[in-house]
Amino acid sequence: MTAAFLSTESRSQLFQGRAVSLPAQRNQVRVFISSTFPDMAIERNVLLERAYPEAQAFCQKHGLLFEVVDMRWGVRDYAAVDHMTTELCLKEIELCQQVSVGPAFIALIGNWYGYRPIPRVIEEKEFDIIYSKLRQDKNA
């Protein structure tokens, strides 16, 4: 167990000589794969067919469970309709960071901007700014 697995607050307390609860021993590599789906479909499929089996074998050899979170398999229509896609992805990334002993996030960068959902919640101040801009544009 290394200090890297502790939260910043726990590390600070530990360095000050205070007792901290150590996280449970983790034995999982859980990786979130992020990219635009259409732009990186071939790369994602190659990962699935070639790289993941090798990573799985490596992890098993070392007593680890290997798991991939690929949202193209898991975003339901209701989540997209309710503008929860971003929130769902962020929760999955956070979970990967909490449970993974190795990498937790891989970004495949391409040429597309990808899906840019409308936020589920807009702060009142931000909404007022957007609304006033729309009214100005309409009156111009």
Side-chain angles (χ1 to χ4, degrees), residues 62-108:
H62 295 282
L64 300 170
L65 174 67
F66 178 70
E67 184 176 342
V68 175
V69 178
D70 188 331
M71 296 308 284
R72 67 181 170 164
W73 302 325
V75 177
R76 303 276 186 225
D77 290 338
Y78 70 84
V81 169
D82 198 19
H83 307 291
M84 293 177 58
T85 305
T86 301
E87 188 176 325
L88 181 62
C89 288
L90 291 174
K91 284 181 181 179
E92 285 296 329
I93 292 167
E94 184 178 333
L95 183 59
C96 288
Q97 291 171 329
Q98 290 171 358
V99 302
S100 186
V101 296
F105 183 85
I106 296 175
L108 304 175

Side-chain angles (χ1 to χ4, degrees), residues 29-79:
V29 175
R30 188 170 197 264
V31 182
F32 185 96
I33 304 297
S34 178
S35 78
T36 55
F37 297 148
D39 197 28
M40 292 291 167
I42 292 171
E43 289 81 357
R44 283 174 174 257
N45 290 335
V46 169
L47 286 171
L48 177 65
E49 295 166 9
R50 297 186 185 164
Y52 297 161
E54 287 186 32
Q56 177 78 31
F58 178 85
C59 286
Q60 283 180 342
K61 179 180 173 184
H62 295 282
L64 300 170
L65 174 67
F66 178 70
E67 184 176 342
V68 175
V69 178
D70 188 331
M71 296 308 284
R72 67 181 170 164
W73 302 325
V75 177
R76 303 276 186 225
D77 290 338
Y78 70 84

